[in-house]
Amino acid sequence: MNVPVENYLVLAALIFAIGCAGVLTRRNFIVILMSVELMLNAVNLTFVALSRQLVSMDGQMIVFFVMTVAAAEVAVGLAIFLAIYSQRRTVNADEISLLRW
Amino acid sequence: MNFPLLSLIVWSPMVAAIIVSLLPAQPLAVPRRAAFGLSLIPFVLSLVLVAQFDPSVGALQLTETVPWMPSLGVYYSIGVDGISLWLVLLTTFLSPVVILAAWTDIQHRVKEFMFFMLLLESGMLGALVATDLFLFFMYWELMLFPMVFVIGIWGGPRRRYAAIKFVIYTMAGSALMMIAMLYVVLVHAKTGQLSFDIVTLYDTKLTHLEQTLLFWSFAIAFMIKVPMVPFHTWLPDAHTEAPTGGSVDLAGVMLKMGAYGFLRFALPMFPLAAQEAFPIIIALSVVGIVYGAMVAFPQPDMKRLVAYSSVSHLGFVMLGIYAFNRVGMTGGVLQMVNHGLSTGGLFILIGFIYDRKHTRQIAEYGGLWSVVPIFSAFFLLVTLSSIGLPGLNGFVGEFLILLGAYRAHPTAAAIATTGVVLGAGYMLTMFKHVIFGPVTKEENKKLLDLTPREIAAIVPVIVMIVWMGVYPKPFIDRIEPTVTVLLQRLERAGANQHLGDAPRALASRDAGGEGTRLASAAHDGVAP
Amino acid sequence: MHPEHAHTAAEAVVLATSLLRWIPLLPLIGFGIGVFAASTNRRSIVHITGPGSVLLAFVVSVIAVSRLWTLPAGGAVVDNVFTWISVGMLHLDMTFRVDALTSVMILIITGIGFLIHLYSLGYMHEDADEARFFSYLNLFVASMLVLVLADSLPVVFIGWEGVGVCSYLLIGFWYQDMANADAGRKAMITNRIGDAAFLIGMFILVWAMHDLGAASLRFEDLNRMAPQLGAAAPHLVTAVCLLLLIGATGKSAQIPLYVWLPDAMAGPTPVSALIHAATMVTAGVYMIARLSPLYVLSPAALDVVATIGAVTALFAATMALVQNDLKKILAYSTISQIGYMVLGVGVGSFSGGVFHLMTHACFKALLFLGAGSVMHAMSGELDIHKMGNLKAKLPTTRWTFLVGCLAIAGVPPLAAFFSKDMILEAAFASGHVVLWFIGLTAAGMTAFYMFRAYFLAFEGESRVDHHTEHHLHESPPPMTIPLMVLAVLSIVAGWVGLPHGILWGDAWGHYLAPVLASHEAHEIAGSTVLLLTLVTTGVALGGIFLAYSFYLKSPGTADRIAERFHGIYVLLWNKYWIDELYDRLFITPYVIVSKFFWKVVDAMLIDGVVNGVGVAVGKTSDVWRRLESGNVQHYAAAMLIGAVVTCGVYWWLA
């Protein structure tokens, strides 16, 4: 069975859009972080699909990088949330706008 | 390559700064003593430098060149000539003096203060000896930041305003200068050689318009640093708010960077445009002399008064440089050193009295001679040096400058000569209010006279003031050959100019001998 | 000293020696010791070194002058010490040189200087700051010696400004009184105005010389090249002469820069005697005489010199008529007498000017020291209306003061009789009859005001208050001995300049002739000379008689006259309101403009622009920074929009 590459790309775009919407609309930091993961994985999917299509290992290599970065990002992000939460008792993105004018 | 003497001079304060920063901060005597002892090293080395310096050569000497980023044409190349020699010595000379003078002035974060002062010294020295534009620009910025911190951390009540004003003024000029530098380098790169070496860049072929625009980009950066009216208003604030050490280094060396920049970069790189700027620069110099003196007159704050007097004195320096003859330009270079000594001395002394009373307001003093006679005697001598009394250093420079300027522009020189009267006016008025008269304030009766440490700090300055006034020959002899070389370069540029709207060439302004003498100056390096 | 110069300079026979440097160096060493003594509070040292160093300088001067006398006329003793400044075309040596003119000056300075130092031992005995006083005084002598020993204008300028500073310090010596400090500052700044003109004159001169191929400011070269200079650039010569004249009016207290000298009396009296009478204030006359070959090339400049001299002589004399302060009278008298000297050099009688300089140094020092002696006795009182009959208690002072008065009035055969006569005669002979008449009038006034002071102070009834009366005493020997020596000098000093035909007549003129320019006046008949002398003497005696009848014979006459001519009296009493005029005309506007520059131009205009730029940037970013909400989702949205727009643009373009 040979799934055309377009299907993968459309799926990836959908997942990316969902992640994007999540990042922009949700209040809870944890959910935002999860949405970011969705976006990253959408990109990963694109990479893998195109890698197969083009018969090149480059895309798959980059996927490993992205996964590493994503893992690090989650670790750092969660650490920050924990620190903020212990200070301010909230993980609501609206309420944390310290770095403004 | 020979023994890297210059590099040692430039880097030893940097190393000293690092050593001081590694030492314990308490007791306070540790960083103080260490900084003082370490600051003597570059001074001793620069004495060796003077001994090694060949007074008969006008070009750069004791040069060192090490590839740094050769693919970009950037080299670590340094050297010294008659223009920078005495400024290097002045810098290393003032450093231990300043540290000694700031002994009790600085009471908190002593270690950091000493660190910044030594770093500043290294930056200033680097800027003075760098012969590579890239390196120069790096040092130019390097000397800026320690000074900003010194003003901003240890300064007076309006220190933040002063520090920010200082940094923004200077950076504004630096930005222009950097663009101009890159432009010159890129134009020169068309010859196939990418180089930041200034001696190489001197020969860059530029159109008339390019020269003019580039000259003014450099000139504005240097005019801010000099400072020339109307770019001077950062100076009174910076001087007034800076702690003693900062003021002394600012007045002593940093202000000279502007005039030095003209001599090292703006004039030789853009000789034609530089000569076309003659009327403007001369006018601004004369305005600076008179205006600075007039504004200094009613100042109620001692340091502010001295700061405005610097505007006036640096006007003299620029006037001398722009006289475009050997007498005036040599006088201008000499006057840079003189001003460093006398104004530096004034700031040191004002610092001493500020330590005791914590005010710089002239009205808070009066009758000090009866209370602190030794202080007053030193103050008198430095005051007299500042107003250019013959027999002391200030006169020699002023005399040569005005004499040279008279040839270049008699009216300007005549107006500038009134600066001699006005200078006496504001300095003697301050002296009168501070030192003479009855002791009006009860608390002033308990002021203590100078301590041995303070005397040790000021006496070297006094010795130099007298020496340079009585026997300036060794100084002049080393400055003159370089000035001659520079003038020849300017004159050649003037002679090669055949455009219809040719600027008044150097030779015509210098008519009747001094010009022709210039042409043969290579032969008679020693005056007839 | 370049050997070729030695030979080319016409008749000059030059004796090189390293002796001369010691003349200024000795007082300079005295100054150094004085500073040491002052800072370590060892006053007794300066009692020896103060006068001693000047005495030694005097001895060396005598040796130097005796060496000079072994040379043929026109010779000079020269000491090249070191090269001071050498750059480009300019080459200045620190060279000292004694010729006929300098020999007169150094003997006056060290001789009278020593006497005044001696006097100061007594006068300043009770002052705690004695060491400081003597160190200043020594420094002054050293500077003054540099001034007259210098062989080039810039080296003269070292001394010229040096004496100015010493004068500044000594006027303000009792600094605790702000008025003294003000007087010192006024002297210094007024002098500096003249000095600025002096500098410009030097600049013109050196470049003019340079254009002739001999950039030099040595007197020898200047005087040798003067004719060429005059031929090449006559207007330049006039300009130089006038500028140097302005310098001279500052130092020598002539119109328009004389205003500092009356105030300078705030200094200790020996200072007034040495600096503000005998030596420093005559520097201008010395300088003009020194440059006489240059001045004779510009008759216009010389006329200005003569006019300034004559007008100053009269102007100052009128102000002296009504003063009550003994030292102020002497101060105005000094201005007036220097006016004579300037008149003398202005009408071409350079030797006459220098002659009067020499005699004046003797009798004016005497008069000032006499006034100091009175002041010493009267606990500082100087108002002649509060004196009277001092002759009873102060016999030596009285007799010597009387000699001084006779000498200055020009009574034969005392000093000023010869010197003033020489000047007035030259003025008449050169055709400046108006100036001669002005000088004559001033001579009458001189006799009048000096004897007015003498009669009111020493003769008549005592008006001294009881407290002071009680301890009126003659001064101690260190003070009276100089008085007596100076009195003798005031009598005999004029004899060296006997007029033509009497004994060694003309000797003075012949002695100075090789140094000074010959500006031959029209010969006038011997009978005219005699007549002139008689008129001058008559006027002097008339002045004395008038003073006698006003103040001694019928006291009260003076008051009646003052009432009759009230307007003139008020004008004179207020010194023509010149100080007030200068204040309104120059000082107040200067202060106003200075403050305007500071408060408006600097603080508002320039800093306004600077801070304005800062504020403008701040205001703009105030608007823009609202975009920084701090909400991470806004940023993310912005990023998304940015990405979409970028891609869109890219797609649209492609």
Side-chain angles (χ1 to χ4, degrees):
Chain A
M1 186 183 102
N2 202 356
V3 183
V5 71
E6 286 80 10
N7 293 13
Y8 290 106
L9 293 184
V10 170
L11 178 64
L14 277 174
I15 298 172
F16 188 86
I18 293 167
C20 216
V23 167
L24 292 182
T25 55
R26 300 304 295 259
R27 299 268 162 87
N28 192 307
F29 262 131
I30 309 291
V31 181
I32 290 174
L33 208 60
M34 284 158 66
S35 306
V36 171
E37 291 301 312
L38 267 185
M39 289 163 76
L40 286 169
N41 281 315
V43 176
N44 282 349
L45 186 57
T46 319
F47 272 122
V48 174
L50 287 171
S51 168
R52 182 159 170 273
Q53 171 78 11
L54 301 171
V55 200
S56 153
M57 280 299 116
D58 291 359
Q60 299 194 23
M61 248 172 68
I62 288 176
V63 169
F64 282 108
F65 275 108
V66 174
M67 280 158 73
T68 322
V69 171
E73 183 207 313
V74 170
V76 174
L78 283 176
I80 292 173
F81 296 157
L82 280 175
I84 290 176
Y85 185 75
S86 66
Q87 286 278 318
R88 309 186 56 142
R89 293 277 145 203
T90 176
V91 284
N92 196 333
D94 282 358
E95 291 169 31
I96 301 163
S97 53
L98 283 171
L99 292 176
R100 59 176 175 168
W101 69 82
Chain B
M1 195 166 71
N2 295 326
F3 182 69
L5 182 61
L6 268 182
S7 284
L8 274 178
I9 293 175
V10 175
W11 288 93
S12 56
M14 183 88 82
V15 173
I18 294 167
I19 293 174
V20 168
S21 71
L22 294 176
L23 290 173
Q26 294 288 347
L28 296 178
V30 173
R32 283 173 184 157
R33 289 195 182 146
F36 176 69
L38 290 167
S39 70
L40 288 174
I41 296 171
F43 175 59
V44 172
L45 288 171
S46 53
L47 289 180
V48 179
L49 173 71
V50 174
Q52 299 245 315
F53 188 87
D54 180 356
S56 61
V57 177
L60 289 163
Q61 351 184 344
L62 299 161
T63 51
E64 294 166 32
T65 307
V66 178
W68 183 12
M69 293 177 254
S71 58
L72 295 175
V74 176
Y75 285 77
Y76 169 82
S77 63
I78 57 178
V80 68
D81 64 5
I83 294 169
S84 51
L85 174 71
W86 297 115
L87 291 173
V88 168
L89 186 65
L90 179 69
T91 311
T92 58
F93 168 79
L94 283 178
S95 217
V97 168
V98 159
I99 289 170
L100 211 53
W103 210 261
T104 53
D105 178 29
I106 303 300
Q107 286 294 356
H108 73 291
R109 300 195 181 187
V110 175
K111 190 171 94 169
E112 288 89 334
F113 179 78
M114 297 301 173
F115 171 77
F116 280 126
M117 290 308 279
L118 289 166
L119 197 61
L120 178 65
E121 186 188 356
S122 185
M124 294 189 296
L125 288 169
L128 284 170
V129 300
T131 59
D132 183 282
L133 272 183
F134 193 96
L135 189 67
F136 169 76
F137 195 77
M138 194 192 82
Y139 278 120
W140 174 269
E141 300 293 318
L142 180 65
M143 72 182 177
L144 179 62
F145 284 95
M147 184 54 92
V148 172
F149 285 119
V150 166
I151 297 173
I153 297 174
W154 292 275
R158 292 174 70 233
R159 57 180 177 268
R160 292 178 86 181
Y161 173 73
I164 291 170
K165 200 171 178 182
F166 170 61
V167 75
I168 290 182
Y169 248 114
T170 314
M171 291 300 278
S174 303
L176 267 175
M177 181 167 72
M178 189 174 73
I179 295 165
M181 273 180 181
L182 292 176
Y183 190 91
V184 176
V185 170
L186 291 177
V187 169
H188 190 265
K190 285 179 193 159
T191 63
Q193 184 196 10
L194 190 61
S195 171
F196 278 85
D197 180 51
I198 49 167
V199 181
T200 313
L201 292 177
Y202 283 170
D203 299 323
T204 309
K205 297 276 177 292
L206 296 165
T207 66
H208 188 237
L209 179 68
E210 280 173 337
Q211 273 216 21
T212 311
L213 290 175
L214 292 172
F215 170 76
W216 281 108
S217 305
F218 271 84
I220 287 174
F222 295 138
M223 279 160 82
I224 289 172
K225 205 78 172 182
V226 166
M228 293 179 86
V229 176
F231 304 115
H232 66 281
T233 55
W234 62 271
L235 182 70
D237 286 315
H239 261 334
T240 313
E241 298 307 321
T244 303
S247 299
V248 176
D249 269 353
L250 196 56
V253 190
M254 245 189 184
L255 297 188
K256 311 308 163 353
M257 288 300 170
Y260 171 77
F262 271 96
L263 289 166
R264 176 71 79 226
F265 303 101
L267 299 190
M269 273 162 80
F270 319 109
L272 266 182
Q275 288 177 71
E276 280 174 329
F278 176 80
I280 299 172
I281 302 277
I282 287 277
L284 287 180
S285 307
V286 172
V287 167
I289 291 169
V290 176
Y291 181 85
M294 287 188 81
V295 180
F297 183 75
Q299 295 301 324
D301 180 310
M302 285 195 261
K303 277 179 110 175
R304 239 186 149 73
L305 189 148
V306 178
Y308 278 109
S309 86
S310 288
V311 175
S312 185
H313 286 159
L314 269 297
F316 274 108
V317 171
M318 286 309 296
L319 184 67
I321 291 172
Y322 255 79
F324 288 134
N325 51 41
R326 274 202 283 177
V327 178
M329 205 178 262
T330 307
V333 176
L334 191 67
Q335 189 68 354
M336 290 196 227
V337 183
N338 289 336
H339 173 263
L341 288 171
S342 40
T343 306
L346 278 174
F347 277 125
I348 291 173
L349 287 167
I350 292 172
F352 288 163
I353 205 73
Y354 180 79
D355 270 358
R356 288 162 171 70
K357 183 106 191 284
H358 295 286
T359 175
R360 297 178 307 257
Q361 297 298 310
I362 293 171
E364 290 292 314
Y365 294 98
L368 288 194
W369 197 301
S370 55
V371 190
V372 284
I374 296 176
F375 168 82
S376 307
F378 283 128
F379 198 55
L380 172 67
L381 207 130
V382 181
T383 300
L384 293 177
S385 151
S386 171
I387 65 176
L389 184 79
L392 301 178
N393 61 348
F395 174 73
V396 182
E398 259 177 36
F399 181 78
L400 293 178
I401 287 168
L402 291 171
L403 181 61
Y406 188 82
R407 188 59 154 197
H409 198 304
T411 317
I415 299 171
T417 310
T418 61
V420 171
V421 181
L422 305 183
Y426 61 77
M427 285 310 292
L428 294 184
T429 303
M430 171 171 85
F431 191 79
K432 186 193 87 170
H433 287 304
V434 174
I435 303 292
F436 287 157
V439 186
T440 43
K441 299 268 190 292
E442 196 57 38
E443 67 272 20
N444 284 350
K445 287 184 180 153
K446 295 191 200 77
L447 292 179
L448 297 174
D449 214 336
L450 298 187
T451 63
R453 171 189 58 83
E454 289 168 328
I455 293 175
I458 192 69
V459 161
V461 179
I462 301 282
V463 168
M464 289 311 295
I465 282 176
V466 175
W467 181 9
M468 290 188 67
V470 175
Y471 194 59
K473 196 169 176 296
F475 299 91
I476 292 175
D477 283 351
R478 284 164 179 77
I479 294 169
E480 198 187 348
T482 306
V483 166
T484 309
V485 170
L486 176 56
L487 284 172
Q488 280 168 331
R489 173 174 294 282
L490 288 168
E491 198 187 13
R492 265 204 310 280
N496 292 340
Q497 174 78 2
H498 297 301
L499 297 172
D501 62 340
R504 288 191 300 159
L506 178 70
S508 70
R509 205 177 304 122
D510 204 16
E514 182 72 344
T516 50
R517 192 173 286 277
L518 259 177
S520 62
H523 308 292
D524 67 348
V526 184
Chain C
M1 184 71 219
H2 301 286
E4 65 273 15
H5 284 145
H7 297 294
T8 51
E11 73 278 11
V13 176
V14 168
L15 179 70
T17 168
S18 57
L19 184 72
L20 299 187
R21 67 190 65 169
W22 290 102
I23 300 176
L25 212 52
L26 284 164
L28 199 63
I29 293 168
F31 161 71
I33 298 173
V35 169
F36 171 74
S39 55
T40 53
N41 228 344
R42 296 196 177 92
R43 284 166 61 187
S44 53
I45 301 176
V46 293
H47 294 162
I48 314 281
T49 60
S53 59
V54 182
L55 181 65
L56 281 176
F58 178 68
V59 171
V60 179
S61 304
V62 169
I63 298 171
V65 173
S66 65
R67 292 239 184 117
L68 174 72
W69 286 349
T70 63
L71 304 175
V77 184
V78 169
D79 180 4
N80 187 358
V81 189
F82 59 89
T83 299
W84 184 34
I85 299 175
S86 173
V87 50
M89 51 86 201
L90 187 74
H91 185 83
L92 298 175
D93 279 329
M94 191 68 82
T95 301
F96 299 131
R97 181 185 165 91
V98 172
D99 58 11
L101 180 56
T102 301
S103 70
V104 175
M105 296 302 290
I106 56 173
L107 291 180
I108 295 174
I109 294 161
T110 52
I112 294 183
F114 169 65
L115 290 175
I116 292 171
H117 274 74
L118 196 63
Y119 177 93
S120 308
L121 278 185
Y123 191 82
M124 299 299 288
H125 190 65
E126 284 149 29
D127 199 299
D129 272 341
E130 214 178 358
R132 189 160 61 89
F133 178 80
F134 275 106
S135 59
Y136 288 169
L137 217 54
N138 276 341
L139 183 62
F140 168 77
V141 172
S143 308
M144 191 69 206
L145 286 167
V146 169
L147 198 163
V148 295
L149 283 165
D151 91 322
S152 64
L153 266 180
V155 181
V156 165
F157 197 71
I158 299 180
W160 187 271
E161 288 252 293
V163 292
V165 165
C166 296
S167 155
Y168 160 74
L169 292 171
L170 283 162
I171 294 169
F173 179 73
W174 288 311
Y175 55 84
Q176 280 171 326
D177 187 347
M178 210 40 136
N180 298 348
D182 277 329
R185 185 182 57 152
K186 183 174 174 184
M188 181 84 180
I189 291 173
T190 315
N191 264 302
R192 274 247 155 173
I193 296 172
D195 294 353
F198 192 118
L199 274 175
I200 298 174
M202 272 201 280
F203 300 150
I204 300 180
L205 202 52
V206 73
W207 287 113
M209 289 287 283
H210 174 71
D211 291 343
L212 291 176
S216 162
L217 283 171
R218 297 170 65 233
F219 293 122
E220 210 183 328
D221 298 333
L222 284 177
N223 292 346
R224 183 166 46 84
M225 299 285 287
Q228 280 166 269
L229 214 54
H235 296 300
L236 231 54
V237 172
T238 305
V240 169
C241 289
L242 290 178
L243 284 164
L244 293 180
L245 173 67
I246 297 176
T249 59
K251 192 88 354 187
S252 291
Q254 298 292 292
I255 293 172
L257 297 178
Y258 71 90
V259 287
W260 63 273
L261 188 62
D263 290 17
M265 296 302 129
T269 306
V271 170
S272 312
L274 179 62
I275 301 182
H276 306 120
T279 53
M280 182 186 89
V281 287
T282 59
V285 180
Y286 165 78
M287 196 260 301
I288 295 175
R290 179 53 86 191
L291 289 173
S292 53
L294 204 61
Y295 270 88
V296 291
L297 293 173
S298 172
L302 268 187
D303 280 346
V304 176
V305 173
T307 312
I308 283 186
V311 173
T312 308
L314 182 68
F315 186 69
T318 56
M319 288 187 279
L321 291 176
V322 298
Q323 292 293 316
N324 288 333
D325 181 315
L326 187 54
K327 280 182 77 179
K328 284 271 163 75
I329 297 176
L330 291 174
Y332 283 109
S333 153
T334 304
I335 299 174
S336 168
Q337 296 299 312
I338 300 168
Y340 276 111
M341 300 173 208
V342 174
L343 170 65
V345 295
V347 296
S349 172
F350 297 104
S351 62
V354 176
F355 186 27
H356 197 56
L357 187 164
M358 193 264 285
T359 56
H360 175 258
C362 299
F363 59 71
K364 191 49 71 64
L366 168 63
L367 287 169
F368 264 114
L369 294 188
S373 180
V374 170
M375 218 172 143
H376 193 70
M378 304 265 306
S379 331
E381 182 58 60
L382 272 172
D383 189 341
I384 48 176
H385 287 295
K386 293 184 182 155
M387 295 178 188
N389 203 25
L390 293 181
K391 65 180 175 187
K393 294 280 179 63
L394 307 172
T396 318
T397 308
R398 178 259 181 142
W399 281 115
T400 51
F401 199 85
L402 180 59
V403 170
C405 289
L406 289 170
I408 193 175
V411 173
L414 278 73
F417 167 73
F418 297 101
S419 54
K420 206 182 281 179
D421 209 48
M422 194 185 271
I423 289 170
L424 289 177
E425 196 186 301
F428 190 85
S430 63
H432 296 87
V433 183
V434 177
L435 298 184
W436 168 78
F437 186 73
I438 293 176
L440 188 69
T441 318
M445 288 185 184
T446 307
F448 176 80
Y449 67 67
M450 281 317 303
F451 275 88
R452 168 178 174 263
Y454 171 74
F455 289 135
L456 283 176
F458 290 96
E459 307 279 346
E461 289 165 22
S462 174
R463 296 174 299 278
V464 183
D465 64 56
H466 291 294
H467 180 66
T468 318
E469 179 94 62
H470 186 62
H471 56 85
L472 266 182
H473 59 286
E474 184 56 285
S475 302
M479 290 169 70
T480 49
I481 293 170
L483 285 178
M484 288 185 276
V485 176
L486 284 169
V488 173
L489 284 175
S490 302
I491 296 170
V492 303
W495 298 353
V496 299
L498 289 183
H500 182 67
I502 305 170
L503 296 174
W504 54 84
D506 280 347
W508 179 262
H510 285 307
Y511 179 59
L512 290 177
V515 187
L516 302 177
S518 50
H519 186 69
E520 275 318 312
H522 311 280
E523 275 302 315
I524 47 173
S527 56
T528 322
V529 174
L530 194 64
L531 192 67
L532 287 177
T533 310
L534 282 177
V535 170
T536 319
T537 314
V539 166
L541 292 175
I544 297 174
F545 176 74
L546 221 56
Y548 171 73
S549 48
F550 276 21
Y551 295 100
L552 211 57
K553 197 156 144 248
S554 50
T557 322
D559 293 339
R560 281 197 298 282
I561 292 176
E563 245 164 67
R564 173 82 70 75
F565 301 101
H566 188 69
I568 296 175
Y569 180 79
V570 169
L571 184 70
L572 293 181
W573 175 246
N574 288 297
K575 298 162 247 166
Y576 300 93
W577 286 286
I578 295 289
D579 273 338
E580 288 78 2
L581 182 74
Y582 282 5
D583 203 51
R584 292 274 166 78
L585 222 53
F586 303 113
I587 299 167
T588 314
Y590 179 72
V591 173
I592 289 172
V593 174
S594 290
K595 287 196 172 153
F596 172 79
F597 277 169
W598 171 32
K599 302 255 187 196
V600 179
V601 178
D602 226 60
M604 284 167 70
L605 209 68
I606 300 179
D607 254 3
V609 171
V610 172
N611 292 335
V613 171
V615 169
V617 171
K619 289 279 179 213
T620 318
S621 48
D622 229 24
V623 176
W624 286 99
R625 72 182 182 175
R626 298 285 154 192
L627 292 174
E628 298 282 300
S629 63
N631 190 323
V632 71
Q633 285 169 324
H634 294 171
Y635 300 153
M639 236 168 96
L640 185 71
I641 293 165
V644 168
V645 168
T646 310
C647 288
V649 168
Y650 186 76
W651 192 43
W652 180 64
L653 286 176

